[in-house]
Amino acid sequence: MLEKIEEIERRFQELEALLSDPAVIGNQTEFRKFSREHADIAPLVDAYRQHRKVLEEIEGNRELLSDPDMKEMAEEELKSLEARREELEKEIRLLLLPKDPNDSRNVILEIRAGTGGDESALFSGDLFRMYSRFAEKNRWKVEMLSCSESERGGYKEVIAAIEGQDVYAKLKYESGTHRVQRVPETEAQGRIHTSACTVAIMAEAEDVDIDINPTDLKIDVYRSSGAGGQHVNTTDSAVRITHLPTGTVVACQEERSQIKNRAKAMKVLKTRILDSIQQEQNAKMAAERKQQVGSGDRSERIRTYNFPQGRMTDHRIGLTLYKLDAIMQGDIAEIADALRAHYQMEALQAQSEAA
């Protein structure tokens, strides 16, 4: 491990020299590439240098133990330094874990109403608002791609693109079945109902990821329906694209322009196909090592939102928070951080067992 880190530190020094080279500064493509690599390894190099400094201080304090006048102070200092050394070693092991190549990507968010009828659709709307507000807090951009509204409010289905820094890294563990327990507004007896929605978080596909043969596509255009004023039902602006080899179907009618709807539909189509490929690859890896860390299996109930008790429970990590109002307003950073820490520790454990 030490050799690997020293090699990374040497590369870090090379990158610092490159980034101050006028020839590199003048080449924006190279400068961005080297800047990204520099930023990626900077936290590891910083932790390693801090660790090296702490080891030097530990050695210095051990030498002071033989001095009767300094022994007590040295022992106190050693306790603090040893604790810091352990923290840094844990941090370094985490930083050395293989990075998820999708972490820096934008995402396609899909929320679908499940069991519970109108109440499930209303909760889909609540979840979409929760993620939208979390996006605002992170200064991400949310763009609605497609939606099917429910008559009583909320959505039967809503699809959106979220763009910004480390979107997938922070949202990837949201995929799964979200269950809600509350008294619907239409419930005269005051009984608590249980409904569910499914959430899918998919890393947005880039053109280099998926090469789709145009002959594999069936494209239908039709007139939009729903809200939209005079424009609705006057032009064939809505687009439905079917990928024949996989049977994947995507429709979009949010824009007035057929060209824009087609572009949005293609974005979702590519992302779904890429997600399907990655899920298949992950499943194979899981079978080989008998454990899939952070799979976000969408067939599982991952979370329950209990409104009468003001409680949110994430069943994967046993996390319960009694601040449901704040969570529904987009205050989910604590949940995202806890999930990330949990799956990082699982990955560390799997790594040490493999070693």
Side-chain angles (χ1 to χ4, degrees), residues 142-242:
V142 180
E143 180 187 13
M144 178 85 78
L145 298 179
S146 171
C147 74
S148 171
E149 295 178 356
S150 171
E151 290 177 6
R152 292 182 178 270
Y155 302 102
K156 295 174 185 174
E157 176 188 87
V158 57
I159 302 171
I162 305 180
E163 298 176 6
Q165 187 174 356
D166 298 329
V167 182
Y168 186 76
K170 292 181 179 178
L171 288 179
K172 63 183 173 182
Y173 300 119
E174 293 300 305
S175 290
T177 300
H178 294 240
R179 187 176 69 167
V180 59
Q181 294 172 325
R182 63 185 175 188
V183 180
E185 291 177 10
T186 55
E187 172 55 64
Q189 305 293 323
R191 290 174 300 187
I192 296 170
H193 286 226
T194 299
S195 307
C197 299
T198 58
V199 172
I201 300 289
M202 299 178 290
E204 186 179 299
E206 296 173 2
D207 288 338
V208 293
D209 297 323
I210 298 289
D211 184 21
I212 293 180
N213 190 331
T215 60
D216 288 339
L217 299 177
K218 180 189 175 191
I219 300 174
D220 299 305
V221 293
Y222 55 98
R223 292 184 180 179
S224 300
S225 60
Q230 292 181 346
H231 173 73
V232 173
N233 294 326
T234 59
T235 62
D236 291 339
S237 61
V239 175
R240 181 171 52 245
I241 303 177
T242 305

Side-chain angles (χ1 to χ4, degrees), residues 20 69 101 126 158 214 224 226 237 323:
S20 60
D69 295 331
D126 293 339
V158 57
S224 300
S237 61
K323 54 172 194 176

Side-chain angles (χ1 to χ4, degrees), residues 40 59 70 77 83 90 96 172 196 208 232 251 294 313 345:
D40 282 346
E59 192 60 37
M70 303 293 289
E77 187 70 14
K90 180 181 173 184
L96 280 168
K172 63 183 173 182
V208 293
V232 173
T313 299
M345 291 310 295

Side-chain angles (χ1 to χ4, degrees), residues 8-286:
I8 291 169
E9 188 183 29
R10 284 193 294 273
R11 177 58 180 165
F12 186 77
Q13 291 166 344
E14 286 174 15
L15 288 165
E16 286 188 324
L18 285 165
L19 290 169
S20 60
D21 185 337
V24 173
I25 294 169
N27 184 328
Q28 283 302 302
T29 304
E30 279 202 340
F31 187 79
R32 277 196 298 269
K33 183 181 78 172
F34 292 141
S35 295
R36 199 178 299 120
E37 187 183 350
H38 182 273
D40 282 346
I41 63 176
L44 174 60
V45 172
D46 181 54
Y48 171 60
R49 287 174 176 174
Q50 285 185 58
H51 182 262
R52 194 163 55 197
K53 186 179 177 185
V54 166
L55 289 180
E56 288 170 5
E57 290 177 10
I58 287 172
E59 192 60 37
N61 274 269
R62 281 180 179 154
E63 289 174 6
L64 292 174
L65 291 173
S66 57
D67 184 338
D69 295 331
M70 303 293 289
K71 184 178 178 182
E72 189 176 341
M73 187 179 76
E75 284 176 344
E76 280 298 312
E77 187 70 14
L78 272 171
K79 283 180 188 175
S80 173
L81 287 167
E82 287 291 353
R84 180 62 180 147
R85 178 183 63 80
E86 286 180 16
E87 283 176 17
L88 285 166
E89 286 175 359
K90 180 181 173 184
E91 185 181 340
I92 287 167
R93 285 197 299 271
L94 286 172
L95 288 166
L96 280 168
L97 285 173
K99 281 195 171 71
D100 185 336
N102 291 329
D103 274 354
S104 61
R105 292 201 180 195
N106 300 324
V107 306
I108 299 295
L109 162 70
E110 296 187 352
I111 305 173
R112 289 185 178 83
T115 54
D118 291 335
E119 177 62 14
S120 177
L122 287 168
F123 187 55
S124 288
D126 293 339
L127 286 177
F128 181 63
R129 192 159 44 251
M130 178 183 82
Y131 291 125
S132 297
R133 288 180 178 163
F134 183 59
E136 283 174 26
K137 292 173 191 284
N138 283 278
R139 297 183 179 178
W140 298 337
K141 177 188 170 189
V142 180
E143 180 187 13
M144 178 85 78
L145 298 179
S146 171
C147 74
S148 171
E149 295 178 356
S150 171
E151 290 177 6
R152 292 182 178 270
Y155 302 102
K156 295 174 185 174
E157 176 188 87
V158 57
I159 302 171
I162 305 180
E163 298 176 6
Q165 187 174 356
D166 298 329
V167 182
Y168 186 76
K170 292 181 179 178
L171 288 179
K172 63 183 173 182
Y173 300 119
E174 293 300 305
S175 290
T177 300
H178 294 240
R179 187 176 69 167
V180 59
Q181 294 172 325
R182 63 185 175 188
V183 180
E185 291 177 10
T186 55
E187 172 55 64
Q189 305 293 323
R191 290 174 300 187
I192 296 170
H193 286 226
T194 299
S195 307
C197 299
T198 58
V199 172
I201 300 289
M202 299 178 290
E204 186 179 299
E206 296 173 2
D207 288 338
V208 293
D209 297 323
I210 298 289
D211 184 21
I212 293 180
N213 190 331
T215 60
D216 288 339
L217 299 177
K218 180 189 175 191
I219 300 174
D220 299 305
V221 293
Y222 55 98
R223 292 184 180 179
S224 300
S225 60
Q230 292 181 346
H231 173 73
V232 173
N233 294 326
T234 59
T235 62
D236 291 339
S237 61
V239 175
R240 181 171 52 245
I241 303 177
T242 305
H243 185 243
L244 299 172
T246 60
T248 307
V249 181
V250 175
C252 188
Q253 61 174 29
E254 297 306 302
E255 299 287 345
R256 294 191 170 194
S257 158
Q258 185 188 119
I259 293 171
K260 287 182 180 177
N261 280 328
R262 179 169 173 158
K264 284 186 175 183
M266 279 300 295
K267 180 190 281 191
V268 176
L269 180 73
K270 286 183 176 182
T271 297
R272 282 189 187 168
I273 293 171
L274 177 63
D275 184 64
S276 177
I277 292 167
Q278 290 178 340
Q279 293 263 349
E280 193 176 325
Q281 289 170 345
N282 286 341
K284 285 178 183 175
M285 287 168 65

